[in-house]
């Protein structure tokens, strides 16, 4: 075990330790510049996914809005509450600015990777689709890269499907025990029962659950933050000034100054929005849309919601409160967020935040479970393997819930996520010209006056596409 921990520790140092974060930053800037700032160009179109008249007409297919909610439910989690607090504690208010910056670049990265996931998605012959990095590696790069696709799938299964679900189970049980005094075992059993009902219904039931959970948790949390901002509206200019001045070292709030702000802001931002890690494309591929770029724009919007909106809510709640003291130690993470919220609304808000954490963690569990299933499907077509994985995940969620130290067993999660991120970034770089061809096709149709561009596989006959997944006949009467 010690040898394994040492081995994965080396991998973690080689990825998250020093290499991967700068690579993700450079990659996001590259995508932004080479794509002509697509996140700005298509920003207005992002909000169209929320309108009812922009959904597909197949009642059995997953809509763009449903895929967005599943994705937001997965991206939004403890990092938006505890992670932002840690970033501010270690990097000062300036860390918030760099979280915004990496989110802006990540919106372009997410658009590209999710567009590719749509291009190379596969149909099940009915109204469901599967896809993601494993598929765009296989179908986009060719059979000789199949081994890379398998490495990606194994890392996705181990990190998101297994390890991170143990963490979420631990988070839920710990929060409930701390706030309500309920034993971890009872919380674990209840969480497993609810999770089993959702995940055994497949992606469609997961989407239905997300359609209920995500709006409630997002609107509720954002609502509290907005009220806190309104109550302290006169302090907003000061807080924004602190964020900007601390970001560039003009007002060093913590040891390390500008360097600490950049390092912690970028790290927490990347962990939160997941842009470039190759996780969100697995969900992006499930939607029935007219054009791959439509879903790319939708998933870019997911990054905006996660970091620019929800992470900012946590940041302003903390910076507008009287609990956070720059440079102070001894209070950070979710405790800082809880106490800051209580400074605005009283102790009852701690319980409201606990409920929010429950919803955030649950939405992440069902999202992670689907990613695990998609990874298993890329390795084997056995339905028994998928069922066995679901049972294993339920057991892991329970393990994470009942044993406070159980999550230490899953020390491999972060290193495995580091590997899958590297694999995904290499594939994205190689497939970037293909992605831009598809983006340019979308642009040309818009320039020609077509309000809702439709992807025609006949225009991309050199690509290894699943033509059934792009049967344009389904849009004729829309």
């Amino acid at each position: 075990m010690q040898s394994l921990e040492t081995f994965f520790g080396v991998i973690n140092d080689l990825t998250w330790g020093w290499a991967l974060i700068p690579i993700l930053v450079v990659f996001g800037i590259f995508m932004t510049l080479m794509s002509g700032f697509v996140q700005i160009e298509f920003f207005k179109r992002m909000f169209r996914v929320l309108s009812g008249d922009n959904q597909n007409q197949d009642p059995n297919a997953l809509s763009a809005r449903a895929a967005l909610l599943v994705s937001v439910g997965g991206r939004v989690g403890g990092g938006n509450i505890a992670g932002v607090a840690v970033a501010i504690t270690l990097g000062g208010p300036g860390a918030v600015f760099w979280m915004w910056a990496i989110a802006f670049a990540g919106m372009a990265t997410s658009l590209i990777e999710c567009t590719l996931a749509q291009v190379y998605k596969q149909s099940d012959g009915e109204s469901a689709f599967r896809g993601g990095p494993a598929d765009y590696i296989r179908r986009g790069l060719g059979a000789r890269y199949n081994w890379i696709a398998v490495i990606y799938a194994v890392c996705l299964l181990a990190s998101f499907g297994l390890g991170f679900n143990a963490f979420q189970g631990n988070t839920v049980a710990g929060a409930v025990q701390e706030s309500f005094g309920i034993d971890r075992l009872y919380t674990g059993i209840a969480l497993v029962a609810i999770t089993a009902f959702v995940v055994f219904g497949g992606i469609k039931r997961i989407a239905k659950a997300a359609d209920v959970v995500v709006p409630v948790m997002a609107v509720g949390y954002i609502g509290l933050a907005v009220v806190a901002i309104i109550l302290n509206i006169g302090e907003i200019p000061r807080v924004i000034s602190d964020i900007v001045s601390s970001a560039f070292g003009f007002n060093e709030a913590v040891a390390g100054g500008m360097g600490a702000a950049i390092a912690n802001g970028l790290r927490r931002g990347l962990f939160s929005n997941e842009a470039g890690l190759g996780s969100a494309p697995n969900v992006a591929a499930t939607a029935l849309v007219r054009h791959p770029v439509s879903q790319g724009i939708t998933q870019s919007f997911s990054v905006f919601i996660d970091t620019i909106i929800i992470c900012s809510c946590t940041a302003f709640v903390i910076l507008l409160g009287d609990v956070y003291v720059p440079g102070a130690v001894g209070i950070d993470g979710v405790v800082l967020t809880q106490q800051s919220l209580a400074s605005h609304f009283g102790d009852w808000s701690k319980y409201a935040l606990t409920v929010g954490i429950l919803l955030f963690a649950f939405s992440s569990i069902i999202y992670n479970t689907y990613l695990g299933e998609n990874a298993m499907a890329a390795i084997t077509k056995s339905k028994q393997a998928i069922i066995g994985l679901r049972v294993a995940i339920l057991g892991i969620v329970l393990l994470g819930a009942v044993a406070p130290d159980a999550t230490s067993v899953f020390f491999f999660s972060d290193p495995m996520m580091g590997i899958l991120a590297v694999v995904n970034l290499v594939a994205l770089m190689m497939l970037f010209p293909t992605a831009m061809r598809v983006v340019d096709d979308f642009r040309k149709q818009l320039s020609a006056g077509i309000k809702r561009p439709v992807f025609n596989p006949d225009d991309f006959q050199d690509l290894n596409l699943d033509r059934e997944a792009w049967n344009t006949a389904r849009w004729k009467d829309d």
Side-chain angles (χ1 to χ4, degrees), residues 109-132:
T109 304
S110 188
L111 189 150
I112 296 299
E113 66 179 349
C114 294
T115 292
L116 285 170
Q118 272 285 324
V119 169
Y120 291 105
K121 68 182 180 183
Q122 298 184 68
S123 171
D124 67 353
E126 298 179 358
S127 298
F129 308 97
R130 279 192 183 272

Side-chain angles (χ1 to χ4, degrees), residues 24-166:
L24 283 165
V25 172
V26 170
F27 198 84
I29 294 172
F30 171 83
M31 289 284 188
T32 296
L33 296 176
M34 297 303 293
S35 65
F37 290 85
V38 286
Q39 65 270 65
I40 296 177
E41 178 182 1
F42 298 130
F43 184 73
K44 289 183 179 180
R45 298 189 68 88
M46 293 180 187
F47 295 89
R48 295 190 179 189
V49 71
L50 301 176
S51 64
D53 61 351
N54 196 40
Q55 308 308 311
N56 66 67
Q57 304 302 310
D58 188 340
N60 297 315
L62 206 67
S63 68
R65 179 180 179 275
L68 170 69
L69 291 174
V70 174
S71 179
V72 170
R75 295 183 199 263
V76 175
N80 300 79
I81 297 176
V84 174
V86 170
I88 292 174
T89 301
L90 299 178
V96 179
F97 177 89
W98 295 109
M99 287 181 66
W100 292 337
I102 197 59
F104 176 75
M107 288 171 70
T109 304
S110 188
L111 189 150
I112 296 299
E113 66 179 349
C114 294
T115 292
L116 285 170
Q118 272 285 324
V119 169
Y120 291 105
K121 68 182 180 183
Q122 298 184 68
S123 171
D124 67 353
E126 298 179 358
S127 298
F129 308 97
R130 279 192 183 272
D135 286 279
Y136 59 65
I137 290 172
R138 279 179 174 144
R139 302 177 73 89
L141 299 180
R144 67 183 182 275
Y145 291 97
N146 185 63
W147 63 277
I148 297 180
V150 172
I151 290 175
Y152 170 85
V154 170
C155 291
L156 181 66
L157 176 60
S159 56
F160 283 87
L162 301 178
F164 293 154
N165 272 336

Side-chain angles (χ1 to χ4, degrees), residues 169-187:
N170 188 268
T171 299
V172 171
V176 172
Q177 185 178 51
E178 178 70 22
S179 296
F180 302 107
I182 299 175
D183 189 88
R184 285 173 172 268
L185 176 60
Y186 300 133
T187 301

Side-chain angles (χ1 to χ4, degrees), residues 162-321:
L162 301 178
F164 293 154
N165 272 336
F167 297 148
Q168 296 297 343
N170 188 268
T171 299
V172 171
V176 172
Q177 185 178 51
E178 178 70 22
S179 296
F180 302 107
I182 299 175
D183 189 88
R184 285 173 172 268
L185 176 60
Y186 300 133
T187 301
I189 292 172
L191 185 60
V192 166
I194 298 172
T195 302
F197 173 76
V198 175
V199 301
F200 273 94
I203 184 61
K204 293 179 182 177
R205 190 174 293 173
I206 288 174
K208 288 181 180 179
D211 196 27
V212 175
V213 172
V214 174
V216 170
M217 73 181 191
V219 172
Y221 188 64
I222 293 170
L224 279 176
V226 169
V227 172
I229 291 171
I230 293 173
L231 292 174
N232 298 274
I233 195 70
E235 292 294 307
I236 294 298
R238 175 192 61 80
V239 169
I240 294 177
S241 176
D242 287 346
I243 290 173
V244 176
S245 60
S246 176
F248 294 97
F250 301 130
N251 179 22
E252 296 189 3
V254 296
M258 181 178 175
I262 294 174
N264 288 283
L266 296 182
R267 178 182 287 270
R268 295 299 167 181
L270 287 168
F271 267 104
S272 179
N273 64 54
E274 299 181 12
L277 301 187
S279 50
N282 293 275
V283 174
T286 63
L288 173 60
V289 294
R290 297 171 178 81
H291 198 285
V293 177
S294 296
Q295 184 58 199
I297 293 171
T298 297
Q299 294 302 321
S300 182
F301 187 41
S302 177
V303 174
F304 179 83
I305 293 172
D306 172 88
T307 307
I308 304 298
I309 296 180
I310 297 182
C311 283
S312 296
C313 285
T314 299
F316 278 98
V317 164
I318 293 171
L319 297 175
L320 287 170

